[in-house]
C-alpha cells in the first residue's frame, strides 16, 4: 500500500486543525484556500501536459536516444509524458501492473519503459541494426 495515500489526507487535516487552533475560522479559510490552490496548480499542469500530448502521435518521440539519457528511476508516468510530449504506446495489458510503454523516433529507435505503481523502474533503448551496405561514418 502506498503510504502517500494516508499521509497526504492526514497532513491536510493537520494543517486545517493547526489553522483553526492558531487563527480560528480565518485560519481554516486560509489553509483550505492554500490547499485548493495547490490542487489547481497540479490540475493545470496535468491539463497542459495532456494538451501538448494530444497534438502528437501516440508513441512518438523526437529522439529516443535523448529520452533514454534524460530518464531517471522513480519518475512518474506524467513526468515522462511531459518530457516526450506524447502518450506512450501501451504494450502491456490494460490495467496490468507493471505497465509497459514504448516511444519510437523517426529512425525506428525506441525506448521501452516499465512502470510499477506509476513509477518508472526500468527502461531499455533499442536501436535498429545498421545496414551492411551503408558506409560507416568518418571512413
Amino acid at each position: 500500500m502506498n503510504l502517500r495515500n494516508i499521509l497526504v489526507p492526514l497532513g491536510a487535516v493537520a494543517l486545517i486543525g493547526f489553522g483553526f487552533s492558531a487563527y480560528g475560522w480565518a485560519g481554516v479559510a486560509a489553509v483550505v484556500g492554500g490547499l485548493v490552490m495547490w490542487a489547481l496548480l497540479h490540475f493545470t499542469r496535468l491539463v497542459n501536459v495532456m494538451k501538448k500530448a494530444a497534438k502528437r502521435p501516440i508513441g512518438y518521440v523526437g529522439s529516443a536516444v535523448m529520452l533514454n539519457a534524460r530518464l531517471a528511476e522513480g519518475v512518474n508516468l506524467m513526468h515522462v509524458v511531459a518530457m516526450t510530449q506524447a502518450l506512450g504506446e501501451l504494450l502491456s495489458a490494460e490495467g496490468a501492473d507493471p505497465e509497459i510503454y514504448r516511444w519510437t523516433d523517426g529512425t525506428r529507435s525506441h525506448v521501452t519503459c516499465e512502470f510499477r505503481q506509476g513509477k518508472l523502474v526500468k527502461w531499455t533503448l533499442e536501436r535498429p541494426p545498421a545496414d551492411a551496405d551503408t558506409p560507416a561514418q568518418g571512413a
Side-chain angles (χ1 to χ4, degrees), residues 1 4-5 9-10 19 28-29 31-32 47 56 58 60 63 66 72 74 81 87 94 98 111 114 126-127 137:
M1 182 166 162
R4 186 179 294 174
N5 293 340
L10 283 178
V28 170
V31 169
V32 169
V47 169
R56 300 204 44 193
I58 291 178
Y60 177 78
S63 172
M66 290 303 295
V81 170
L87 297 174
E94 194 166 331
V111 176
E114 182 177 322
E126 293 186 27
R127 301 177 88 174
Q137 283 186 334

Side-chain angles (χ1 to χ4, degrees), residues 57-64 67 71 77 80-89 91 100-105 108-115 120 124-126:
I58 291 178
Y60 177 78
V61 65
S63 172
L67 174 62
L71 289 175
L77 179 59
V80 176
V81 170
M83 279 195 297
T84 62
Q85 296 183 352
L87 297 174
E89 175 188 357
L91 300 179
I100 300 173
Y101 291 93
R102 176 178 289 161
W103 284 270
T104 307
D105 66 8
R108 293 185 317 202
S109 297
H110 61 269
V111 176
T112 305
C113 299
E114 182 177 322
F115 295 88
L120 182 64
T124 57
L125 169 68
E126 293 186 27

Side-chain angles (χ1 to χ4, degrees), residues 32-48:
V32 169
L35 291 173
V36 168
M37 180 63 74
W38 177 76
L40 287 173
L41 285 171
H42 283 281
F43 180 75
T44 302
R45 179 171 186 251
L46 176 68
V47 169
N48 284 334

